[in-house]
Amino acid sequence: MRIGIDIGGTHTDGVVINSANKIVKEAKVVTTRPLENGFRIILQKLSPPNVTRICVGTTHATNALLEQKNLAKVGVLRLQAHGCLIPPCFGWPFSLLAGHQTLSGGYNCDGTPLGPISAREVVAAASKLMEQGAEVLAVVGVFSPLFPEQEKEVAQVLQEHFPDIPVTMSHSMGSLGILERENSAILNAALVPEMKRGFERLQICLQELGITAPLYITDNRGSLMTLHEALAYPIRTLAAGPTNSFIGAARLAGLDAAVVADVGGTSTDVGVVRAGYPRRSFMKSVIGGISLSFPMPDTLSVALGGGSVIKRNGIDVHIGPRSLGHRLFSEGISFGGTTPTLCDAAIALGLTHIDGAKKTLDVTLAQKVLEKATTAVEGLTRQMVAKDHDLPCLLVGGGASLFASGKFVIPSHAHVANAFGAALAEVSSELDRVVSLEDREETLQSLKEEVLQQVVDKGGSPSHARIVDMQIFPYSYIKGNKARVVLTASSPCRPRSGLE
Amino acid sequence: MNQKDLDALAVGAAILGSGGGGAPSYNRRLTEYCFAQYGTPQVIAPSLLTKDDFVLPVAFMGAPLVALEKLPSGKEFPAIIQALEKACGRKITALIAAEIGGANAFTPLWAGALLGLPVVDGDLIGRAFPELQMNSCHLHGLSCSPSALADATGDAIVMRPKDTEELERIARAETVRRGSRAAIALPPMPGDVAKQVLVPRTLTRAIQLGKAPSLEALLTVGHGRLIGEGIITDVNHTITGGFLQGSIRVEGKETLELRYQNEFLVAKQNTKIVARTPSIITLLDQEFSLPITTAELSFGLAVKVITLEAPPIWETQRGLELVGPQYFGELL
């Protein structure tokens, strides 16, 4: 049996699935702060025997970013011997920067260094940054995805002299494009301390409940990360929630392709599933106004959820963007409070039944509100599919039952779609190697076979193992037709693979 | 020029780039930064130039991949200006884009902000082309001496080539020697000469193209047409002599073959040529109709292929000698 848990902003959901991937038990609670309370309650409610693993999708990172709380202050060490006009975080909607230092280092495109690394310079720069308030460090070197050696050398020096300061190296943050890579490295570094605290608390919950099954964290590709990986790359958990919803929704409906709208307490996220997995953006992804260096699931979001506050402006009604979130169940007018929400409107129309709720909102107003909300969500789904008009539209999430319109399909178990998606998360393995591309097809084929085997060895099903990402960084200006190849393979976990 | 204009310029300049010119993203960021730090430069209509003006054509050259990693330090153009003012015995009063196609549309804007110099609304090509001599100064027989080149360390050299072939050779060798990325300036021109020679109002044109609300509007403004759409089913390219050279196949209702040397040069259907240089040939992505450069081509991309009319100076006898299909003969 596997457990999938999604810790969301308003609700924490959990499912137990068997080896046939069928939901045998489910639970949903309101998320409170701190976020691990919901996790604990869900585990207590589910408490199945024979748990082989627990897969968690969590909104910790997204929350920290959107609320701009608990993000660490970052010191940036730039390995750019010749300098750079633009400082880090230029154009960011908020600043995470404690400061930055430009050091000798970086590479030319042919691998010759722009300057040597000086350990003394590194230590002096890091000390300065810490004086300026840096709690974590990011190291960004010119051409590091092709030549990561200097960044590794700097990280080693930092580890020796400042062992308690987490360091993110930019070369593992994606492709060429130094500003996006720097953005990703800074954001990743800023998330590390909060994620560490969050995961430690989840582990304590497991210990207290006597659960010994391993804990995995889901990433934004629908793959599982070990705690160790998640602590090094918390940025990969951004958008894991919507990813799990989209995958879970499609599987619940038995579809390979669909538009999915996940209605939560505060917002609705819309994505497109093709061949079972969320469509990823062709363009560089932007999160919270910041350009990042790796693709994310293509998502359109609107601040429209169950707890969204209704405001009247003459004959006009406005829904949100303010939301009561999880407080809707105490402050909403159907629950004795004074603030009307979208959920209250649905209750008034009999679309939703919640224990202890009283129909108090005016029915005409409620109808107007639901109409407006439905139109908004339909508009988003149209935007997402553009020409694919006839893709079925699925509604999932805690707020799915608010929309009774026939245009949407609400699959069974829709309100726990994201926990289901988390439980379905796959094993993945990455191969990162510099090779010669003289015999390009042959070499790539052999690398593919190697990584596919790796993922099977890790517990993936051989028949469904496939390559999900291939990045080739050619060393264009050096003789020998060499390139760094990064291949990622994924596969659903084999039944009874004893994945440990 | 506000945010919206810069957004539009990024798109419009890339469209005029005919598949080349480098992705404008970082140059656009540089421009925003320099405008914020130093103020927005004045933009001058070409008709207002007088003989008291001394106009410097500026650009960056080198491998587009390096532009993604090594940003300018800011020392490049001050060093070039100092070197050329000394060589010419005269102060430079304005900048102009050597090339409006692609990232270089932004170069005079951020350099102008940094240096406190105005920018002329125009350029020397009207699009992008792969080789240095493919510009209107050379078309009009102007000398290419003295030109200058500088790198991020602020080291500048003055070049006095006897012809454009020599300029191309020296400049490219120096660029490669300095890490495959360098700032370059062609000889500064008195305003009255510049007026005759430059391709006018191309900055405005690029912004206009970028603001087109639909593909139809774009094709109307650009005097162009859609010549195909489909999926890229084959990408075959190499880096030769510093250029990204190759061909792609776009399969849709019909099959198009496109050949390029940094910029797209010809589009063929079976053996029939459907579009050729100097007409601008551009790939747009199917979803958002945004331009795709030859450096971003990949198997499986859904694209639309459009062509826009060439800047008129190139559709002349002399123009075609310099940039027409026969010049690129060995590739066709």
Side-chain angles (χ1 to χ4, degrees):
Chain A
M1 303 276 197
R2 278 137 44 216
I3 290 183
I5 296 183
D6 181 270
I7 305 175
T10 303
H11 283 111
T12 296
D13 313 329
V15 296
V16 180
I17 65 176
N18 61 21
S19 50
N21 287 339
K22 286 281 175 287
I23 298 178
V24 297
K25 208 168 180 185
E26 62 190 64
K28 195 176 185 79
V29 296
V30 173
T31 300
T32 54
R33 302 285 191 276
L35 293 171
E36 68 272 8
N37 284 354
F39 181 73
R40 181 186 289 107
I41 297 172
I42 288 287
L43 281 174
Q44 283 167 329
K45 284 184 184 244
L46 294 177
S47 63
N50 317 322
V51 181
T52 50
R53 68 179 168 273
I54 302 172
C55 309
V56 179
T58 172
T59 193
H60 271 91
T62 310
N63 257 20
L65 181 56
L66 291 180
E67 293 175 8
Q68 284 157 50
K69 265 196 330 212
N70 301 320
L71 292 170
K73 283 251 169 274
V74 184
V76 177
L77 291 143
R78 280 178 159 182
L79 309 179
Q80 275 178 343
H82 298 165
C84 169
L85 250 186
I86 310 183
C89 297
F90 172 67
W92 279 43
F94 57 90
S95 184
L96 286 176
L97 211 56
H100 77 278
Q101 295 284 313
T102 304
L103 301 174
S104 163
Y107 290 94
N108 278 312
C109 59
D110 64 358
T112 55
L114 291 170
I117 298 294
S118 150
R120 223 176 42 200
E121 210 188 6
V122 171
V123 173
S127 305
K128 183 98 201 285
L129 289 171
M130 254 119 50
E131 272 168 44
Q132 290 175 305
E135 302 162 88
V136 294
L137 297 171
V139 184
V140 184
V142 179
F143 273 111
S144 64
L146 291 184
F147 312 106
E149 296 78 17
Q150 280 183 353
E151 282 188 356
K152 291 181 181 173
E153 196 185 330
V154 170
Q156 185 122 343
V157 170
L158 292 171
Q159 168 68 19
E160 280 163 23
H161 294 264
F162 310 97
D164 298 325
I165 303 290
V167 175
T168 297
M169 292 179 282
S170 85
H171 70 265
S172 41
M173 290 286 117
S175 50
L176 295 176
I178 197 164
L179 291 181
E180 284 84 11
R181 201 169 69 250
E182 184 174 64
N183 284 349
S184 300
I186 292 172
L187 197 51
N188 191 69
L191 286 167
V192 167
E194 172 62 6
M195 296 308 274
K196 184 160 189 287
R197 285 189 288 268
F199 294 146
E200 271 166 12
R201 293 196 292 252
L202 293 185
Q203 274 184 304
I204 291 173
C205 284
L206 291 176
Q207 277 165 23
E208 285 174 357
L209 293 169
I211 297 175
T212 52
L215 180 67
Y216 291 94
I217 309 296
T218 60
D219 71 14
N220 54 40
R221 284 193 297 208
S223 296
L224 296 174
M225 288 193 283
T226 61
L227 266 190
H228 186 75
E229 288 167 336
L231 285 170
Y233 306 114
I235 201 172
R236 291 190 192 162
T237 64
L238 282 176
T243 296
N244 290 341
S245 292
F246 300 154
I247 293 175
R251 290 287 283 269
L252 286 171
L255 295 170
D256 256 349
V259 190
V260 181
D262 177 1
V263 187
T266 300
S267 66
T268 296
D269 296 317
V270 181
V272 177
V273 173
R274 287 211 214 282
Y277 298 92
R279 184 180 76 191
R280 281 139 78 82
S281 186
F282 157 69
M283 301 194 285
K284 292 237 151 50
S285 43
V286 177
I287 292 258
I290 303 160
S291 288
L292 296 179
S293 53
F294 42 84
M296 291 269 195
D298 223 351
T299 312
L300 272 181
S301 298
V302 68
L304 192 92
S308 292
V309 174
I310 299 170
K311 266 205 169 67
R312 264 184 147 140
N313 196 352
I315 51 159
D316 267 338
V317 282
H318 294 288
I319 316 171
R322 192 166 83 84
S323 166
L324 293 182
H326 60 270
R327 293 175 353 254
L328 87 94
F329 300 110
S330 50
E331 292 172 31
I333 61 168
S334 309
F335 303 93
T338 52
T339 312
T341 66
L342 185 55
C343 186
D344 291 323
I347 291 171
L349 296 176
L351 295 170
T352 244
H353 304 279
I354 300 179
D355 285 339
K358 292 198 172 62
K359 294 185 186 186
T360 39
L361 197 68
D362 167 58
V363 166
T364 325
L365 171 62
Q367 266 163 355
K368 222 172 171 170
V369 167
L370 254 312
E371 219 178 89
K372 191 162 187 177
T374 308
T375 309
V377 175
E378 282 174 359
L380 271 194
T381 60
R382 264 201 307 275
Q383 226 186 313
M384 276 312 264
V385 291
K387 295 177 184 68
D388 284 313
H389 304 296
D390 37 356
L391 269 188
C393 289
L394 304 175
L395 262 192
V396 294
S401 53
L402 301 177
F403 295 94
S405 165
K407 287 216 181 104
F408 300 117
V409 172
I410 303 178
S412 56
H413 305 286
H415 50 285
V416 290
N418 36 22
F420 184 50
L424 296 173
E426 303 185 320
V427 190
S428 76
S429 192
E430 193 179 88
L431 187 150
D432 188 342
R433 194 174 301 165
V434 176
V435 293
S436 162
L437 290 183
E438 277 308 324
D439 296 307
R440 188 193 172 93
E441 285 318 310
E442 254 178 63
T443 307
L444 288 180
Q445 187 54 34
S446 114
L447 289 177
K448 284 179 186 174
E449 282 165 16
E450 191 182 331
V451 74
L452 285 169
Q453 186 56 49
Q454 270 177 19
V455 93
V456 170
D457 292 342
K458 256 179 147 180
S461 149
S463 50
H464 292 91
R466 71 216 182 277
I467 305 292
V468 294
D469 206 1
M470 177 163 74
Q471 289 181 292
I472 302 183
F473 306 122
Y475 292 87
S476 316
Y477 307 100
I478 309 176
K479 291 197 189 349
N481 204 4
K482 292 215 182 105
R484 173 184 174 208
V485 179
V486 184
L487 278 173
T488 312
S490 284
S491 190
C493 307
R494 270 201 312 279
R496 296 204 176 83
S497 65
L499 188 71
E500 296 296 46
Chain B
M1 291 186 73
N2 57 33
Q3 281 284 11
K4 284 211 163 77
D5 294 326
L6 293 183
D7 282 340
L9 181 59
V11 173
I15 292 173
L16 290 174
S18 196
S25 163
Y26 286 173
N27 267 17
R28 184 259 160 85
R29 215 82 72 83
L30 274 165
T31 306
E32 272 174 34
Y33 178 74
C34 291
F35 280 15
Q37 284 288 111
Y38 307 105
T40 314
Q42 201 198 347
V43 176
I44 307 178
S47 53
L48 296 176
L49 289 172
T50 70
K51 62 175 170 50
D52 294 328
D53 282 301
F54 203 38
V55 182
L56 185 71
V58 294
F60 255 79
M61 66 185 279
L65 219 60
V66 180
L68 286 180
E69 287 290 309
K70 218 173 153 205
L71 270 73
S73 63
K75 298 180 192 144
E76 296 87 350
F77 287 111
I80 282 181
I81 297 235
Q82 193 180 45
L84 282 177
E85 285 182 343
K86 186 165 177 217
C88 301
R90 210 183 144 167
K91 281 223 159 297
I92 287 168
T93 67
L95 302 179
I96 188 172
E99 175 182 70
I100 198 75
N104 273 321
F106 287 94
T107 307
L109 293 176
W110 65 261
L114 186 70
L115 295 161
L117 288 174
V119 179
V120 179
D121 184 357
D123 77 310
L124 303 186
I125 314 182
R127 48 164 288 169
F129 273 126
E131 292 172 27
L132 264 186
Q133 74 282 3
M134 297 172 174
N135 67 72
S136 57
C137 292
H138 180 62
L139 184 65
H140 284 90
L142 296 187
S143 165
C144 51
S145 167
S147 293
L149 183 147
D151 65 24
T153 65
D155 179 44
I157 57 163
V158 174
M159 300 173 284
R160 299 175 193 280
K162 64 179 189 303
D163 55 30
T164 51
E165 280 78 25
E166 199 183 343
L167 173 65
E168 166 70 43
R169 261 198 329 273
I170 304 175
R172 215 151 283 275
E174 279 295 324
T175 300
V176 171
R177 197 172 79 78
R178 292 153 190 275
S180 291
R181 193 89 189 131
I184 184 169
L186 293 179
M189 300 171 275
D192 51 344
V193 173
K195 250 202 287 213
Q196 303 301 321
V197 151
L198 60 81
V199 183
R201 303 243 136 214
T202 46
L203 190 58
T204 304
R205 180 166 194 239
I207 295 175
Q208 225 186 355
L209 288 171
K211 283 188 171 166
S214 67
L215 181 58
E216 290 67 36
L218 172 65
L219 294 175
T220 307
V221 170
H223 304 260
R225 57 190 212 282
L226 180 71
I227 57 173
E229 55 189 300
I231 313 274
I232 299 181
T233 57
D234 191 21
V235 181
N236 199 346
H237 69 207
T238 58
I239 299 189
T240 312
F243 300 110
L244 195 62
Q245 254 178 28
S247 65
I248 59 165
R249 214 176 325 133
V250 177
E251 270 178 48
K253 283 209 206 86
E254 290 97 19
T255 299
L256 273 183
E257 192 201 337
L258 296 162
R259 304 186 73 93
Y260 51 91
Q261 178 184 326
N262 285 6
E263 285 74 29
F264 288 112
L265 300 169
V266 70
K268 280 185 186 176
Q269 212 171 298
N270 299 317
T271 49
K272 174 159 164 258
I273 293 182
V274 176
R276 91 289 177 259
T277 173
S279 293
I280 295 167
I281 301 169
T282 296
L283 242 56
L284 303 174
D285 84 287
Q286 193 66 266
E287 203 111 40
F288 303 102
S289 291
L290 289 176
I292 303 174
T293 63
T294 52
E296 295 164 307
L297 296 172
S298 73
F299 181 90
L301 270 181
V303 297
K304 287 185 265 224
V305 188
I306 65 168
T307 178
L308 302 183
E309 85 177 357
I313 55 164
W314 299 117
E315 294 282 9
T316 57
Q317 190 188 12
R318 177 70 182 128
L320 288 169
E321 276 170 29
L322 283 182
V323 302
Q326 311 94 282
Y327 178 84
F328 298 100
E330 68 222 23
L331 297 180
L332 298 181

